[in-house]
């Protein structure tokens, strides 16, 4: 079996739990993620770096591990201020959680020397302790997202019991002393009024490329709904005033595949222009309900879970569009077994079908684009027997398009310029050996090309 992806970030060993924070400089991407070195080990934070394009990840020393009475560390966010980085993370002691902060004076220093010990902690990381803990009104602070705001800083995080979490907002002038402003509330239709389990909150800010006011910047609230054991990650567009989010676009799914959850935004070392953002998601559709021991990758290759490739995200007409980060075709061509297929076509009243095959000519998955619908079916695959078909509605476009990335046991689909995306784990029998493309019912394929790894 060859389940391990080449272009997607995975843990060096053990189980990747979630992306924690991502930072992009002029010449590198720095990825921080929560992971367990083994199934029984407490969760900690790892650091990986990829130069130029974000597809060739090198392992750095871990940056955070439990100390004292801590039983595990959970995800958070990373902020840069000039050359200094702050790592905001969730510290868990027994059944209680709180938000802590650590700092790195200069990120470049963490790359100078890397230990051969997989559990070695980077000496450049300095922990500063708790910044948000239990109060009379709120308990169990966790999953912090920190962004710059006016002349200070804003934190959005989760509090309360996991069965009925509450999102709250805190503010700070120095990122060390924080004051809770109150719970996040909404004004306007959200489409999630009856949802009771909103987790993993993020806020990004973008200009709308189709807005007549080119200077207007919108707040995009990204949340994950825990619904009947399945994660549904999505976003709302609007404006955050104080603790109230004024809704312009109600909740929309961020990805329609089987395995995309708890996305994290990428911060930058340079000036933010609000033109686009980069998002990573965990490729695991059930989040904290997952049992890593059921993953074939853990049984055969001692790892479980990976992150999606980064998606360059823009706001157009109140909706998010996601496309692969730059450099993907070259990265696929330099890999061993990855594949990428891109096609431009007119679906008309027909359908374009892309079938993914195993080396024994059995079908591993089928992707269908019918103009106004996108579907990914893996139910015929013995590894995914009974899996529901992933479906998404599409907006009518002048030209229909598909980009499909196959990398180890990951498949990511980008339709119609990023209007809809699907990320799914698909276990092949060793590798995806070939694709078959068929246009039926009046569909016309205008042009297409495929990029393959060097050993295919």
């Amino acid at each position: 079996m060859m389940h391990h992806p080449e272009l997607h970030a995975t843990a060096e060993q053990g189980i990747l739990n979630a992306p924690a924070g991502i930072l992009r400089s002029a010449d590198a991407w720095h990825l921080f993620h929560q992971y367990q070195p083994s199934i029984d080990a407490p969760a900690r934070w790892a650091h990986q770096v990829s130069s130029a394009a974000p597809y060739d990840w090198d392992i750095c020393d871990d940056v955070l591990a439990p100390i004292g009475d801590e039983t595990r560390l959970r995800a958070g966010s990373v902020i840069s201020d000039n050359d200094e980085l702050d790592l905001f993370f969730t510290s868990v002691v027994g059944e209680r959680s709180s938000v802590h902060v650590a700092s790195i004076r200069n990120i470049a220093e963490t790359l100078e020397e890397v230990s051969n010990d997989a559990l070695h902690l980077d000496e450049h990381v300095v922990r500063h302790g708790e910044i948000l803990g239990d109060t009379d009104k709120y308990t169990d602070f966790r999953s912090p997202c920190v962004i710059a705001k006016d002349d200070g800083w804003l934190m959005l995080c989760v509090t309360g019991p996991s069965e009925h979490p509450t999102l709250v907002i805190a503010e700070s002038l120095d990122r060390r002393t924080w004051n809770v402003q109150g719970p996040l509330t909404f004004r306007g239709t959200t489409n999630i009024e009856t949802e009771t389990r909103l987790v993993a909150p993020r806020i990004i800010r973008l200009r709308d490329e189709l807005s007549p006011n080119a200077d207007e910047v919108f707040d995009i609230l990204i949340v994950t709904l825990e619904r009947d054991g399945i994660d549904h990650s999505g976003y709302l567009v609007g404006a955050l005033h104080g603790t109230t989010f004024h809704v312009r676009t109600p909740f929309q799914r961020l990805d329609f595949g089987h395995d995309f959850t708890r996305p994290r935004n990428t911060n930058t070392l340079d000036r933010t222009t609000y033109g686009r953002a980069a998002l990573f998601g965990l490729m695991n559709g059930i989040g904290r309900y997952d049992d890593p021991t059921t993953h074939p990758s853990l049984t055969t290759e001692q790892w479980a879970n990976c992150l999606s490739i980064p998606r360059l995200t823009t706001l157009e007409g109140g909706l998010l569009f996601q496309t692969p980060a730059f450099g993907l075709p070259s990265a696929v061509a330099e890999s061993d077994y990855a594949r990428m297929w891109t096609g431009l076509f007119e679906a008309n009243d027909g359908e374009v079908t892309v079938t993914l095959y195993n080396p024994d000519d059995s079908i591993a998955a089928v992707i269908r684009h019918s103009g106004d619908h996108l579907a990914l079916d893996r139910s015929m695959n013995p590894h995914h027997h009974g899996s529901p078909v992933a479906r998404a509605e599409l907006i009518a476009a002048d030209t229909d398009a598909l980009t499909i990335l196959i990398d180890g046991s990951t498949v990511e689909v980008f339709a119609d310029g990023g209007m809809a995306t699907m990320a799914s784990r698909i276990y092949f029998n060793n590798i995806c050996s070939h694709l078959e493309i068929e246009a039926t019912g009046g569909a016309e394929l205008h042009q297409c090309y495929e990029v393959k790894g060097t050993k295919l």
Side-chain angles (χ1 to χ4, degrees), residues 410-427:
T410 70
V411 173
E412 296 196 57
V413 181
F414 300 83
D416 296 355
M419 185 267 154
T421 62
M422 289 185 174
S424 294
R425 293 184 308 207
I426 296 178
Y427 288 107

Side-chain angles (χ1 to χ4, degrees), residues 185-262:
T185 59
F186 296 95
R187 180 169 294 177
T189 301
T190 67
N191 286 351
I192 54 173
E193 283 83 0
T194 61
E195 299 290 341
T196 60
R197 302 180 71 168
L198 275 64
V199 297
R202 302 283 108 179
I203 288 183
I204 60 176
R205 308 194 74 208
L206 291 173
R207 289 189 176 89
D208 194 320
E209 294 188 1
L210 301 183
S211 173
N213 183 358
D215 295 327
E216 187 175 15
V217 177
F218 292 91
D219 296 312
I220 293 94
L221 173 65
I222 299 172
V223 293
T224 295
L225 313 180
E226 293 184 336
R227 183 191 296 163
D228 300 326
I230 302 295
D231 283 2
H232 300 270
S233 293
Y235 65 93
L236 303 93
V237 179
L240 179 65
H241 297 295
T243 60
T244 301
F245 192 89
H246 297 254
V247 180
R248 175 195 179 195
T249 303
F251 183 85
Q252 308 289 319
R253 286 282 296 273
L254 196 58
D255 186 280
F256 295 87
H258 301 90
D259 295 294
F260 185 91
T261 186
R262 299 168 194 264

